[in-house]
Amino acid sequence: IPEMVIKLLQGIGRLIRTETDTGFVSILDSRVSERYMKTINSVVGRYPRVETLAEIREFFKNVKDDSYYEEPEVAK
């Protein structure tokens, strides 16, 4: 577990580098038991936990304004 927690924290650190960065981390390994989740939650507990795609969409909708989702203009 200690190595996994270190890698998780490193991944979060690489994901969020500046104040305008936004992202999410997903743990999809079915081997993660409730016991391990206690350790993970103690490390990343300050971040919101979601369990559905709808919750992820809502998160991004709340933190990014509409211009974030617009297609950039391509220079000709």
Side-chain angles (χ1 to χ4, degrees):
I1 287 204
E3 184 179 342
M4 185 269 301
V5 170
I6 291 169
K7 288 182 178 186
L8 180 61
L9 289 172
Q10 288 174 335
I12 292 169
R14 289 184 179 106
L15 176 65
I16 306 297
R17 298 243 181 204
T18 69
E19 193 173 305
T20 58
D21 289 346
T22 305
F24 71 95
V25 173
S26 179
I27 300 172
L28 302 173
D29 192 329
S30 62
R31 296 173 295 174
V32 176
S33 69
E34 193 61 37
R35 188 177 112 216
Y36 295 144
M37 283 307 297
K38 287 181 183 178
T39 303
I40 293 167
N41 285 334
S42 71
V43 173
V44 297
R46 67 183 179 153
Y47 300 104
R49 181 177 175 183
V50 299
E51 295 187 15
T52 67
L53 288 175
E55 290 174 301
I56 294 170
R57 283 187 202 99
E58 189 66 24
F59 167 77
F60 278 104
K61 196 166 93 175
N62 288 330
V63 297
K64 295 293 186 182
D65 60 39
D66 291 339
S67 65
Y68 177 79
Y69 299 101
E70 293 174 3
E71 292 287 328
E73 289 189 30
V74 178
K76 294 182 179 185

